[in-house]
Amino acid sequence: MSPLARFLLLRLLLIPLTLLVVTATLMGLLTAVPPQVRALLYLPKRALDNVFELNMDELRQVTDRYIQLHHLEDPFPVQYADWVVSVFTHGGGYSPTAKGDVFDALLRRTPVTAELTLYSLLTFIPLGIVSGLRAGWKPGGFLDKCFRIGAYIATSLPPFITALVLLGIFYVFLGWFPPGRLGTAFSQEVLSPKFHLFTGLMTIDSLLNGRLDIFIDSVRHLVLPVVTVSLLYWATLSRIVRSTIINERRKEYLTAARARGIPEKRLLWRHALRNVLSPALSSSALAAASLFTGIFMIEIIFDLKGVADLVVHASSVGLDVPIAMGFSVYAICIILVIMFVLDVLRAILDPRSREGIIYDHTR
Amino acid sequence: MTIHDNNQWHDQARIKRQPALVRNASTWLGALIVALFVLTALAAPLLAPPDPNVEFSTYRDFGHVIQSGPLQPQPGLILGSVTDPANLHQLDIWYSLVWGTRSALRFGLLVVLFTGIIGIVLGGVSAYLGGLSNTLIVSFTDAFLAFPVIAGVIFFQQFILMLIRSTGVSVYLNSQWALPDSPTRWQLFLAGVDPLLIAFIVFSWMPYARLVNSVVLATRQEEYILASRSLGAGPLRLIFRHLIPNSISPVIVLAARDVGYMVLLQAGFTFIGLTHSSEWGVLLSLGRNYVIGPLGDPFTWWWTFLPTTLAILLFGVGWNLLGDGLNKWLDRSQS
């Protein structure tokens, strides 16, 4: 087997393993709760929607049946295995706040979050790499000074304050970029049967439907959240790129290439760039979880009705355990996929990382 | 085309030329800001004396005032008030800012203390043991890196609600619940637990473990450790007397930055309505309704959002500067 294939296979195996470790820990914590309450995870629609109407005896009967059914009084491995099976067969259980199966509800909201994530990644990764490279190529220079001030401001501003300032300027004063996902008229039209939803991503669907006006409106609504997310993560990424390139600059291969008369531009964008990408990608993989949290906060501040809105609402309404467990599983899956993609990219770009230990991001 | 001359020697020479006070200006600024917050927190009962006739709260209700909009700064109401749209009561901003400093500092320090201890113990022990145990503990750490804090917060909110429910208390809509007339100790404890604090501790110790792990792995083979081992020091003594104390300084740098970061995250989670844990976050989420004044003037009600924003920003910047300064100092004392 080629080293790349072996790397991919081993890396792929880590996904279920990580899922197992984290979910087993969460379920293990839940065993501190008596089975009578823990049965909430599995109760069907009928029982959960009418919790206040059922009398105590009826509720106890239903609960007891589900404790039996899902082995809630058996040893932990049995309980855990049953939960894993139920996640696959019952779609994560019934959520009384989402009024449906947890994973159905989460997946229906996913395109909104995915759209924000996609455009943010496409903005801040190239921006972070380019600005970090330019700044670190001549440390102490004018560009570097500007960069360091900019990065400092960007990292000191918490996202909710950035969002408030941006909304104040670009929405209240200038009226350019409103919050929300679409204007009122368009959001009605999008729901009508005339408008086909192909991907759920408004920017793509509007073009596929040949509606340029909806496309422009959706872009206008996306600008501010994307800028806020990008500001937050651009600085962290480009700082890593900058410190890598400062070390890389003194390496012999660059001096040798320079001595052969290769122009500075080519040195930077060909020779140095390739060696900087690997640490940048691995740091991004490490930051995937924090990116996820940040995107969720920003999504709520800008009133995009995505996954975060659903979950935060559910959590503030009251007891909705299925959605908490389902959201945890959902979040880890997405983060693992992002980490996997970034690791694969790194393995393709940097042959050294395929040979080493499979999971070394920092060492 | 010139060959770049900023090599290491040159860089160091340039740094040396700056006088010490200028070089460390940002560190002192950071320390000053942090000291101001600590003083405010300590002097909170003097700066914002609570009303002895009412049960203590970090919010002071200035009463129900029939008036559209917040009250401006005036004697007895240093930074004015902000209107709570839920009940149209006026909240004293200065009072909550001051008591919010106390709870923010407590929150940040508690999170950092516990994550630090968990990280140091797990990272240190796993690096000392080495081999399979190290691989297992490191994989466990890495598995938790794939878990976002926001999911952890939601999990623990539900977890604690479940525990409360299992004591026989019913949980109503909007996660409201009331303690029974004679609560048990366990119920009182659950009522005081902040799910956010637990979630932050359980899901952010990983950087500390990784840091301590890599430092201890590097120092494990140094001669003074080997000497101590050959003198008959046991593993516990080696880990807690030699290996961990020698890896503590980078942990302190990370911790200093984390205090600010954790408090900002707490304020952010409060701002989006996930909890009410941070007074600053609550103030800002109320103040955001007044950013736009009549005729689009953003400064009509400046006191509702500007002081809070500044406090939050300064808190983050202060701890960051302090952390950067400690880091610089550490680098210099090592080389």
Side-chain angles (χ1 to χ4, degrees):
Chain A
M1 211 182 333
S2 78
L4 184 61
R6 218 184 90 223
F7 170 84
L8 287 184
L9 197 71
L10 280 174
R11 189 62 194 71
L12 211 57
L13 276 178
L14 268 175
I15 292 183
L17 210 67
T18 312
L19 261 174
L20 182 92
V21 169
V22 182
T23 51
T25 312
L26 295 183
M27 288 304 282
L29 282 171
L30 279 189
T31 51
V33 179
Q36 281 73 22
V37 179
R38 206 146 22 96
L40 283 173
L41 247 178
Y42 304 96
L43 287 185
K45 183 172 163 35
R46 268 180 302 115
L48 280 171
D49 277 348
N50 307 317
V51 163
F52 298 109
E53 288 157 30
L54 289 175
N55 65 41
M56 277 326 229
D57 278 345
E58 283 170 337
L59 193 62
R60 195 164 297 135
Q61 274 174 10
V62 177
T63 313
D64 283 346
R65 211 172 65 236
Y66 278 85
I67 292 175
Q68 287 282 312
L69 201 62
H70 290 283
H71 309 279
L72 292 184
E73 278 166 337
D74 289 358
F76 178 67
V78 181
Q79 283 183 34
Y80 180 69
D82 184 89
W83 175 76
V84 173
V85 173
S86 83
V87 164
F88 283 109
T89 52
H90 289 89
Y94 177 79
S95 155
T97 33
K99 302 258 175 276
D101 281 355
V102 169
F103 287 126
D104 275 356
L106 287 174
L107 287 177
R108 217 174 315 120
R109 297 288 194 100
T110 299
V112 187
T113 314
E115 197 167 31
L116 173 60
T117 315
L118 180 71
Y119 290 112
S120 306
L121 287 175
L122 287 179
T123 316
F124 84 81
I125 290 186
L127 212 67
I129 290 175
V130 170
S131 62
L133 270 179
R134 290 299 298 269
W137 194 240
K138 288 179 185 171
F142 174 71
L143 276 178
D144 189 38
K145 277 184 184 135
C146 294
F147 166 79
R148 279 164 68 187
I149 294 170
Y152 196 81
I153 293 172
T155 44
S156 319
L157 279 175
F160 52 101
I161 288 179
T162 319
L164 271 187
V165 173
L166 287 178
L167 273 176
I169 299 172
F170 292 101
Y171 173 52
V172 179
F173 273 139
L174 300 172
W176 291 354
F177 306 123
R181 198 174 181 211
L182 280 177
T184 337
F186 286 139
S187 36
Q188 290 298 320
E189 198 176 336
V190 165
L191 291 175
S192 73
K194 268 190 292 178
F195 191 90
H196 292 284
L197 290 175
F198 297 98
T199 57
L201 305 185
M202 235 9 109
T203 42
I204 296 175
D205 282 355
S206 57
L207 286 182
L208 289 177
N209 279 290
R211 292 293 302 270
L212 207 60
D213 47 350
I214 297 186
F215 173 74
I216 293 170
D217 194 52
S218 64
V219 170
R220 273 181 54 197
H221 283 82
L222 265 176
V223 170
L224 288 188
V226 167
V227 168
T228 315
V229 178
S230 303
L231 258 183
L232 196 59
Y233 293 97
W234 155 79
T236 331
L237 175 65
S238 54
R239 272 183 174 171
I240 289 159
V241 173
R242 176 177 170 273
S243 63
T244 320
I245 191 80
I246 287 179
N247 286 326
E248 204 71 20
R249 219 164 39 103
R250 303 199 191 99
K251 294 253 170 89
E252 283 173 353
Y253 74 94
L254 280 178
T255 318
R258 194 173 280 135
R260 284 200 318 244
I262 293 170
E264 286 289 297
K265 276 214 168 123
R266 199 179 152 85
L267 280 182
L268 176 59
W269 298 115
R270 277 290 167 78
H271 298 242
L273 175 66
R274 250 188 107 104
N275 285 302
V276 162
L277 283 179
S278 171
L281 285 175
S282 64
S283 82
S284 306
L286 267 184
S290 114
L291 175 73
F292 197 78
T293 300
I295 283 183
F296 272 16
M297 285 172 67
I298 288 158
E299 188 196 297
I300 294 186
I301 297 171
F302 284 100
D303 198 25
L304 296 167
K305 297 259 181 271
V307 179
D309 175 72
L310 174 78
V311 177
V312 168
H313 173 71
S315 186
S316 61
V317 160
L319 263 173
D320 192 343
V321 196
I323 216 157
M325 258 338 259
F327 178 61
S328 300
V329 175
Y330 169 89
I332 314 170
C333 285
I334 288 184
I335 288 166
L336 286 175
V337 168
I338 295 179
M339 284 173 135
F340 177 70
V341 170
L342 289 174
D343 276 357
V344 169
L345 271 180
R346 189 167 70 116
I348 293 169
L349 287 169
D350 184 359
R352 283 172 303 180
S353 65
R354 294 171 217 161
E355 308 289 341
I357 318 158
I358 40 175
Y359 213 76
D360 65 333
H361 283 305
T362 49
R363 254 164 266 150
Chain B
M1 188 193 77
T2 57
I3 291 183
H4 296 295
D5 56 356
N6 5 13
N7 60 38
Q8 223 169 351
W9 295 111
H10 197 91
D11 289 347
Q12 275 187 1
R14 199 163 40 191
I15 290 168
K16 284 245 167 66
R17 251 183 278 127
Q18 291 174 334
L21 196 67
V22 176
R23 197 171 60 215
N24 292 328
S26 61
T27 313
W28 287 116
L29 185 66
L32 183 75
I33 296 174
V34 169
L36 272 178
F37 277 110
V38 173
L39 278 180
T40 311
L42 289 177
L46 297 175
L47 292 170
D51 187 348
N53 302 324
V54 190
E55 196 192 347
F56 174 75
S57 153
T58 46
Y59 301 96
R60 194 162 75 107
D61 195 337
F62 206 68
H64 180 94
V65 179
I66 311 287
Q67 182 197 343
S68 60
L71 300 171
Q72 58 183 359
Q74 51 189 273
L77 202 59
I78 299 176
L79 277 173
S81 75
V82 65
T83 316
D84 184 352
N87 52 11
L88 292 178
H89 279 225
Q90 303 285 349
L91 290 179
D92 185 341
I93 290 182
W94 167 254
Y95 184 86
S96 294
L97 263 184
V98 169
W99 286 98
T101 309
R102 191 176 256 209
S103 73
L105 263 179
R106 190 176 48 215
F107 184 87
L109 291 175
L110 274 179
V111 170
V112 163
L113 183 73
F114 282 108
T115 49
I117 291 175
I118 299 174
I120 287 171
V121 170
L122 266 184
V125 170
S126 75
Y128 176 80
L129 292 174
L132 184 65
S133 348
N134 188 34
T135 317
L136 280 180
I137 298 180
V138 169
S139 319
F140 184 75
T141 312
D142 283 342
F144 269 87
L145 275 174
F147 196 74
V149 183
I150 191 166
V153 171
I154 286 165
F155 175 82
F156 274 104
Q157 278 185 339
Q158 294 293 326
F159 182 57
I160 287 173
L161 275 183
M162 281 170 94
L163 284 178
I164 287 165
R165 168 75 174 268
S166 69
T167 63
V169 177
S170 14
V171 177
Y172 303 108
L173 279 180
N174 298 328
S175 302
Q176 297 291 317
W177 53 280
L179 278 173
D181 293 330
S182 53
T184 60
R185 217 177 255 173
W186 174 234
Q187 283 172 333
L188 278 175
F189 171 75
L190 285 176
V193 162
D194 181 3
L196 204 66
L197 182 73
I198 300 188
F200 276 33
I201 292 170
V202 174
F203 297 107
S204 44
W205 51 272
M206 297 82 73
Y208 293 91
R210 290 169 69 97
L211 184 69
V212 176
N213 191 271
S214 63
V215 176
V216 171
L217 271 182
T219 53
R220 199 160 67 116
Q221 293 302 326
E222 299 233 344
E223 278 168 1
Y224 73 96
I225 300 290
L226 296 178
S228 169
R229 190 194 299 252
S230 61
L231 284 172
L236 282 179
R237 186 179 166 82
L238 276 177
I239 295 177
F240 290 102
R241 189 82 185 80
H242 296 293
L243 287 170
I244 285 177
N246 277 297
S247 57
I248 204 99
S249 24
V251 171
I252 289 175
V253 172
L254 185 60
R257 289 181 181 147
D258 257 6
V259 173
Y261 177 73
M262 292 299 164
V263 169
L264 292 195
L265 203 60
Q266 182 205 18
F269 280 166
T270 312
F271 185 78
I272 64 173
L274 196 52
T275 75
H276 300 288
S277 162
S278 156
E279 283 82 8
W280 292 349
V282 170
L283 280 185
L284 200 61
S285 69
L286 293 175
R288 79 188 288 197
N289 303 326
Y290 297 100
V291 175
I292 319 157
L295 307 173
D297 176 9
F299 294 107
T300 316
W301 291 304
W302 58 270
W303 63 89
T304 56
F305 56 91
L306 217 53
T308 320
T309 311
L310 278 180
I312 294 174
L313 276 181
L314 272 180
F315 194 87
V317 169
W319 284 99
N320 241 334
L321 287 177
L322 190 66
D324 288 347
L326 287 175
N327 197 23
K328 256 190 279 174
W329 175 73
L330 190 73
D331 275 354
R332 214 170 303 135
S333 62
Q334 268 177 353
S335 62

